Amino acid sequence: MAKKSFTDISELKRYFSQLSDLSQKEVEYGFYDEKHYSGLNMATLAAIHEEGWNNLPERNFMFSTSLHFQEGLMKHIKRMHNGIIQGRAFTAYLDKIGKDAADSIRFTITTGTFSNPKVSKDWASYKGFDDAMIHYGDLSSAATYKVVKYQGK
């Protein structure tokens, strides 16, 4: 007596296809080539604040953002994985990760949770407050994200 058995693995194939497609994408967040009134682009201005330059102290707001965003990123990845299992496309999840990452940069700047969050007394007397990086809100409003093709590291 012989019996043939077939297992439908179409959902497994779909899942692995989605993972394969996902492996070709990544989310970048931060600052890009948008012009700033100073003549610099926003990415350069952000790097100057992050690393410090001339008399401007290091204000590691991007490093602080990455630490702040880690837990949220793990939750996003879990939701995306569960969504893929349930048959949803991953693109909306990548956009949500990017949006929340950019919002996390704004949170870090607004709350001053980075090194050297206060400006000098002279600059504070000129602008009327001593919080760093929020004089015009340029960096905060320029924080954004992109979903791009994965280039490998």
mmCIF file of all heavy atoms in Angstrom, residues 67-99:
data_model
loop_
_atom_site.group_PDB
_atom_site.id
_atom_site.type_symbol
_atom_site.label_atom_id
_atom_site.label_comp_id
_atom_site.label_asym_id
_atom_site.label_seq_id
_atom_site.Cartn_x
_atom_site.Cartn_y
_atom_site.Cartn_z
ATOM 1 N N LEU A 67 20.987 55.581 20.722
ATOM 2 C CA LEU A 67 20.753 54.871 21.984
ATOM 3 C C LEU A 67 19.280 54.948 22.374
ATOM 4 O O LEU A 67 18.686 53.955 22.790
ATOM 5 C CB LEU A 67 21.617 55.458 23.100
ATOM 6 C CG LEU A 67 23.126 55.294 22.950
ATOM 7 C CD1 LEU A 67 23.851 56.009 24.078
ATOM 8 C CD2 LEU A 67 23.525 53.831 22.881
ATOM 9 N N HIS A 68 18.697 56.113 22.229
ATOM 10 C CA HIS A 68 17.294 56.319 22.582
ATOM 11 C C HIS A 68 16.375 55.465 21.708
ATOM 12 O O HIS A 68 15.356 54.941 22.175
ATOM 13 C CB HIS A 68 16.943 57.807 22.421
ATOM 14 C CG HIS A 68 15.490 58.106 22.488
ATOM 15 N ND1 HIS A 68 14.718 58.332 21.374
ATOM 16 C CD2 HIS A 68 14.641 58.207 23.544
ATOM 17 C CE1 HIS A 68 13.474 58.553 21.735
ATOM 18 N NE2 HIS A 68 13.406 58.493 23.036
ATOM 19 N N PHE A 69 16.722 55.300 20.442
ATOM 20 C CA PHE A 69 15.848 54.630 19.490
ATOM 21 C C PHE A 69 15.987 53.112 19.481
ATOM 22 O O PHE A 69 15.146 52.410 18.919
ATOM 23 C CB PHE A 69 16.110 55.188 18.085
ATOM 24 C CG PHE A 69 15.135 54.724 17.047
ATOM 25 C CD1 PHE A 69 13.777 54.973 17.183
ATOM 26 C CD2 PHE A 69 15.570 54.041 15.939
ATOM 27 C CE1 PHE A 69 12.868 54.546 16.233
ATOM 28 C CE2 PHE A 69 14.670 53.610 14.969
ATOM 29 C CZ PHE A 69 13.318 53.864 15.123
ATOM 30 N N GLN A 70 16.997 52.562 20.125
ATOM 31 C CA GLN A 70 17.255 51.115 20.064
ATOM 32 C C GLN A 70 16.063 50.262 20.477
ATOM 33 O O GLN A 70 15.699 49.311 19.782
ATOM 34 C CB GLN A 70 18.464 50.737 20.922
ATOM 35 C CG GLN A 70 19.768 50.971 20.244
ATOM 36 C CD GLN A 70 20.939 50.559 21.115
ATOM 37 O OE1 GLN A 70 20.780 50.204 22.284
ATOM 38 N NE2 GLN A 70 22.122 50.600 20.539
ATOM 39 N N GLU A 71 15.453 50.585 21.593
ATOM 40 C CA GLU A 71 14.330 49.772 22.072
ATOM 41 C C GLU A 71 13.148 49.860 21.108
ATOM 42 O O GLU A 71 12.524 48.854 20.771
ATOM 43 C CB GLU A 71 13.890 50.213 23.464
ATOM 44 C CG GLU A 71 12.786 49.354 24.035
ATOM 45 C CD GLU A 71 12.383 49.776 25.440
ATOM 46 O OE1 GLU A 71 13.169 50.438 26.126
ATOM 47 O OE2 GLU A 71 11.261 49.422 25.838
ATOM 48 N N GLY A 72 12.860 51.062 20.630
ATOM 49 C CA GLY A 72 11.780 51.224 19.673
ATOM 50 C C GLY A 72 12.052 50.478 18.374
ATOM 51 O O GLY A 72 11.138 49.904 17.779
ATOM 52 N N LEU A 73 13.301 50.471 17.947
ATOM 53 C CA LEU A 73 13.658 49.764 16.720
ATOM 54 C C LEU A 73 13.415 48.268 16.868
ATOM 55 O O LEU A 73 12.877 47.637 15.953
ATOM 56 C CB LEU A 73 15.119 50.036 16.354
ATOM 57 C CG LEU A 73 15.634 49.331 15.105
ATOM 58 C CD1 LEU A 73 14.829 49.725 13.878
ATOM 59 C CD2 LEU A 73 17.115 49.655 14.908
ATOM 60 N N MET A 74 13.770 47.708 18.007
ATOM 61 C CA MET A 74 13.525 46.277 18.225
ATOM 62 C C MET A 74 12.028 45.963 18.171
ATOM 63 O O MET A 74 11.616 44.953 17.601
ATOM 64 C CB MET A 74 14.108 45.820 19.573
ATOM 65 C CG MET A 74 15.621 45.855 19.636
ATOM 66 S SD MET A 74 16.375 44.791 18.400
ATOM 67 C CE MET A 74 17.105 45.983 17.305
ATOM 68 N N LYS A 75 11.197 46.844 18.711
ATOM 69 C CA LYS A 75 9.744 46.643 18.652
ATOM 70 C C LYS A 75 9.252 46.735 17.214
ATOM 71 O O LYS A 75 8.401 45.943 16.788
ATOM 72 C CB LYS A 75 9.029 47.675 19.527
ATOM 73 C CG LYS A 75 9.217 47.425 21.012
ATOM 74 C CD LYS A 75 8.540 48.493 21.833
ATOM 75 C CE LYS A 75 8.801 48.261 23.301
ATOM 76 N NZ LYS A 75 8.195 49.314 24.130
ATOM 77 N N HIS A 76 9.783 47.681 16.453
ATOM 78 C CA HIS A 76 9.404 47.813 15.041
ATOM 79 C C HIS A 76 9.778 46.564 14.246
ATOM 80 O O HIS A 76 8.993 46.097 13.412
ATOM 81 C CB HIS A 76 10.096 49.015 14.403
ATOM 82 C CG HIS A 76 9.461 50.322 14.712
ATOM 83 N ND1 HIS A 76 8.159 50.624 14.387
ATOM 84 C CD2 HIS A 76 9.959 51.433 15.308
ATOM 85 C CE1 HIS A 76 7.883 51.850 14.776
ATOM 86 N NE2 HIS A 76 8.957 52.361 15.334
ATOM 87 N N ILE A 77 10.949 46.044 14.490
ATOM 88 C CA ILE A 77 11.406 44.858 13.765
ATOM 89 C C ILE A 77 10.501 43.669 14.084
ATOM 90 O O ILE A 77 10.115 42.911 13.194
ATOM 91 C CB ILE A 77 12.884 44.551 14.073
ATOM 92 C CG1 ILE A 77 13.762 45.633 13.421
ATOM 93 C CG2 ILE A 77 13.283 43.162 13.588
ATOM 94 C CD1 ILE A 77 15.220 45.581 13.833
ATOM 95 N N LYS A 78 10.133 43.524 15.342
ATOM 96 C CA LYS A 78 9.238 42.425 15.727
ATOM 97 C C LYS A 78 7.877 42.580 15.047
ATOM 98 O O LYS A 78 7.331 41.613 14.511
ATOM 99 C CB LYS A 78 9.081 42.403 17.246
ATOM 100 C CG LYS A 78 8.230 41.259 17.736
ATOM 101 C CD LYS A 78 8.162 41.226 19.243
ATOM 102 C CE LYS A 78 7.278 40.070 19.699
ATOM 103 N NZ LYS A 78 7.180 39.990 21.145
ATOM 104 N N ARG A 79 7.328 43.814 15.042
ATOM 105 C CA ARG A 79 6.041 44.041 14.383
ATOM 106 C C ARG A 79 6.133 43.755 12.885
ATOM 107 O O ARG A 79 5.213 43.182 12.304
ATOM 108 C CB ARG A 79 5.600 45.495 14.599
ATOM 109 C CG ARG A 79 5.043 45.758 15.959
ATOM 110 C CD ARG A 79 4.472 47.174 16.058
ATOM 111 N NE ARG A 79 4.407 47.548 17.435
ATOM 112 C CZ ARG A 79 5.106 48.529 18.008
ATOM 113 N NH1 ARG A 79 5.913 49.264 17.303
ATOM 114 N NH2 ARG A 79 4.965 48.787 19.290
ATOM 115 N N MET A 80 7.245 44.183 12.273
ATOM 116 C CA MET A 80 7.407 43.949 10.840
ATOM 117 C C MET A 80 7.490 42.455 10.546
ATOM 118 O O MET A 80 6.840 41.960 9.619
ATOM 119 C CB MET A 80 8.668 44.651 10.323
ATOM 120 C CG MET A 80 8.896 44.461 8.833
ATOM 121 S SD MET A 80 10.224 45.464 8.140
ATOM 122 C CE MET A 80 11.602 45.057 9.187
ATOM 123 N N HIS A 81 8.248 41.745 11.344
ATOM 124 C CA HIS A 81 8.367 40.300 11.156
ATOM 125 C C HIS A 81 7.008 39.625 11.287
ATOM 126 O O HIS A 81 6.621 38.797 10.452
ATOM 127 C CB HIS A 81 9.364 39.730 12.166
ATOM 128 C CG HIS A 81 9.600 38.269 12.013
ATOM 129 N ND1 HIS A 81 9.041 37.345 12.849
ATOM 130 C CD2 HIS A 81 10.314 37.566 11.099
ATOM 131 C CE1 HIS A 81 9.397 36.137 12.468
ATOM 132 N NE2 HIS A 81 10.168 36.241 11.411
ATOM 133 N N ASN A 82 6.258 39.977 12.305
ATOM 134 C CA ASN A 82 4.919 39.410 12.486
ATOM 135 C C ASN A 82 3.996 39.789 11.332
ATOM 136 O O ASN A 82 3.189 38.975 10.882
ATOM 137 C CB ASN A 82 4.317 39.848 13.820
ATOM 138 C CG ASN A 82 4.982 39.180 14.995
ATOM 139 O OD1 ASN A 82 5.568 38.110 14.869
ATOM 140 N ND2 ASN A 82 4.924 39.820 16.149
ATOM 141 N N GLY A 83 4.128 41.017 10.838
ATOM 142 C CA GLY A 83 3.325 41.452 9.698
ATOM 143 C C GLY A 83 3.640 40.657 8.448
ATOM 144 O O GLY A 83 2.727 40.285 7.690
ATOM 145 N N ILE A 84 4.909 40.395 8.210
ATOM 146 C CA ILE A 84 5.302 39.598 7.041
ATOM 147 C C ILE A 84 4.727 38.189 7.157
ATOM 148 O O ILE A 84 4.197 37.639 6.186
ATOM 149 C CB ILE A 84 6.839 39.568 6.883
ATOM 150 C CG1 ILE A 84 7.359 40.951 6.483
ATOM 151 C CG2 ILE A 84 7.265 38.535 5.847
ATOM 152 C CD1 ILE A 84 8.868 41.093 6.545
ATOM 153 N N ILE A 85 4.791 37.611 8.343
ATOM 154 C CA ILE A 85 4.217 36.284 8.557
ATOM 155 C C ILE A 85 2.717 36.290 8.240
ATOM 156 O O ILE A 85 2.192 35.356 7.639
ATOM 157 C CB ILE A 85 4.478 35.796 10.002
ATOM 158 C CG1 ILE A 85 5.958 35.469 10.183
ATOM 159 C CG2 ILE A 85 3.604 34.590 10.348
ATOM 160 C CD1 ILE A 85 6.377 35.209 11.615
ATOM 161 N N GLN A 86 2.048 37.386 8.599
ATOM 162 C CA GLN A 86 0.604 37.490 8.367
ATOM 163 C C GLN A 86 0.260 37.906 6.938
ATOM 164 O O GLN A 86 -0.904 38.066 6.605
ATOM 165 C CB GLN A 86 -0.001 38.466 9.365
ATOM 166 C CG GLN A 86 0.085 37.977 10.790
ATOM 167 C CD GLN A 86 -0.271 39.059 11.799
ATOM 168 O OE1 GLN A 86 -0.650 40.164 11.444
ATOM 169 N NE2 GLN A 86 -0.116 38.734 13.073
ATOM 170 N N GLY A 87 1.276 38.097 6.103
ATOM 171 C CA GLY A 87 1.031 38.385 4.694
ATOM 172 C C GLY A 87 1.033 39.853 4.317
ATOM 173 O O GLY A 87 0.692 40.206 3.198
ATOM 174 N N ARG A 88 1.430 40.727 5.234
ATOM 175 C CA ARG A 88 1.469 42.158 4.923
ATOM 176 C C ARG A 88 2.803 42.513 4.262
ATOM 177 O O ARG A 88 3.830 41.916 4.554
ATOM 178 C CB ARG A 88 1.295 42.980 6.191
ATOM 179 C CG ARG A 88 -0.063 42.806 6.820
ATOM 180 C CD ARG A 88 -0.258 43.765 7.985
ATOM 181 N NE ARG A 88 -1.265 43.221 8.870
ATOM 182 C CZ ARG A 88 -1.039 42.825 10.120
ATOM 183 N NH1 ARG A 88 0.143 42.936 10.646
ATOM 184 N NH2 ARG A 88 -2.014 42.326 10.835
ATOM 185 N N ALA A 89 2.781 43.533 3.432
ATOM 186 C CA ALA A 89 4.011 44.020 2.795
ATOM 187 C C ALA A 89 4.857 44.763 3.832
ATOM 188 O O ALA A 89 4.319 45.402 4.739
ATOM 189 C CB ALA A 89 3.673 44.943 1.638
ATOM 190 N N PHE A 90 6.160 44.692 3.685
ATOM 191 C CA PHE A 90 7.056 45.295 4.669
ATOM 192 C C PHE A 90 7.289 46.785 4.448
ATOM 193 O O PHE A 90 7.818 47.465 5.324
ATOM 194 C CB PHE A 90 8.401 44.567 4.695
ATOM 195 C CG PHE A 90 9.143 44.611 3.386
ATOM 196 C CD1 PHE A 90 9.893 45.714 3.020
ATOM 197 C CD2 PHE A 90 9.077 43.537 2.514
ATOM 198 C CE1 PHE A 90 10.569 45.748 1.821
ATOM 199 C CE2 PHE A 90 9.751 43.563 1.304
ATOM 200 C CZ PHE A 90 10.497 44.678 0.955
ATOM 201 N N THR A 91 6.904 47.329 3.302
ATOM 202 C CA THR A 91 7.249 48.713 2.983
ATOM 203 C C THR A 91 6.671 49.711 3.990
ATOM 204 O O THR A 91 7.347 50.670 4.364
ATOM 205 C CB THR A 91 6.801 49.080 1.558
ATOM 206 O OG1 THR A 91 5.425 48.730 1.400
ATOM 207 C CG2 THR A 91 7.616 48.337 0.519
ATOM 208 N N ALA A 92 5.447 49.503 4.417
ATOM 209 C CA ALA A 92 4.849 50.416 5.397
ATOM 210 C C ALA A 92 5.614 50.371 6.715
ATOM 211 O O ALA A 92 5.747 51.393 7.396
ATOM 212 C CB ALA A 92 3.382 50.072 5.627
ATOM 213 N N TYR A 93 6.132 49.216 7.061
ATOM 214 C CA TYR A 93 6.910 49.088 8.296
ATOM 215 C C TYR A 93 8.224 49.866 8.190
ATOM 216 O O TYR A 93 8.658 50.491 9.152
ATOM 217 C CB TYR A 93 7.189 47.619 8.616
ATOM 218 C CG TYR A 93 5.952 46.838 8.966
ATOM 219 C CD1 TYR A 93 5.338 46.025 8.021
ATOM 220 C CD2 TYR A 93 5.382 46.921 10.232
ATOM 221 C CE1 TYR A 93 4.195 45.311 8.335
ATOM 222 C CE2 TYR A 93 4.236 46.200 10.554
ATOM 223 C CZ TYR A 93 3.651 45.405 9.599
ATOM 224 O OH TYR A 93 2.520 44.706 9.918
ATOM 225 N N LEU A 94 8.857 49.820 7.037
ATOM 226 C CA LEU A 94 10.105 50.563 6.848
ATOM 227 C C LEU A 94 9.855 52.068 6.951
ATOM 228 O O LEU A 94 10.648 52.798 7.563
ATOM 229 C CB LEU A 94 10.752 50.219 5.509
ATOM 230 C CG LEU A 94 11.231 48.782 5.341
ATOM 231 C CD1 LEU A 94 11.861 48.598 3.964
ATOM 232 C CD2 LEU A 94 12.209 48.385 6.435
ATOM 233 N N ASP A 95 8.745 52.534 6.372
ATOM 234 C CA ASP A 95 8.399 53.949 6.488
ATOM 235 C C ASP A 95 8.143 54.335 7.945
ATOM 236 O O ASP A 95 8.556 55.408 8.390
ATOM 237 C CB ASP A 95 7.177 54.283 5.632
ATOM 238 C CG ASP A 95 7.511 54.367 4.159
ATOM 239 O OD1 ASP A 95 8.658 54.723 3.810
ATOM 240 O OD2 ASP A 95 6.622 54.081 3.330
ATOM 241 N N LYS A 96 7.487 53.479 8.686
ATOM 242 C CA LYS A 96 7.217 53.763 10.109
ATOM 243 C C LYS A 96 8.519 53.815 10.900
ATOM 244 O O LYS A 96 8.703 54.682 11.757
ATOM 245 C CB LYS A 96 6.271 52.690 10.667
ATOM 246 C CG LYS A 96 5.934 52.852 12.132
ATOM 247 C CD LYS A 96 5.058 54.050 12.396
ATOM 248 C CE LYS A 96 4.587 54.032 13.843
ATOM 249 N NZ LYS A 96 4.499 55.348 14.418
ATOM 250 N N ILE A 97 9.437 52.913 10.610
ATOM 251 C CA ILE A 97 10.747 52.937 11.276
ATOM 252 C C ILE A 97 11.452 54.253 10.976
ATOM 253 O O ILE A 97 11.977 54.913 11.878
ATOM 254 C CB ILE A 97 11.605 51.730 10.838
ATOM 255 C CG1 ILE A 97 11.047 50.436 11.424
ATOM 256 C CG2 ILE A 97 13.078 51.923 11.250
ATOM 257 C CD1 ILE A 97 11.670 49.171 10.841
ATOM 258 N N GLY A 98 11.468 54.655 9.715
ATOM 259 C CA GLY A 98 12.133 55.895 9.339
ATOM 260 C C GLY A 98 11.505 57.111 9.986
ATOM 261 O O GLY A 98 12.208 57.988 10.509
ATOM 262 N N LYS A 99 10.180 57.175 9.970
ATOM 263 C CA LYS A 99 9.487 58.310 10.583
ATOM 264 C C LYS A 99 9.797 58.392 12.076
ATOM 265 O O LYS A 99 10.090 59.458 12.605
ATOM 266 C CB LYS A 99 7.982 58.199 10.356
ATOM 267 C CG LYS A 99 7.195 59.352 10.944
ATOM 268 C CD LYS A 99 5.698 59.094 10.904
ATOM 269 C CE LYS A 99 4.914 60.171 11.600
ATOM 270 N NZ LYS A 99 5.355 60.462 12.964
#
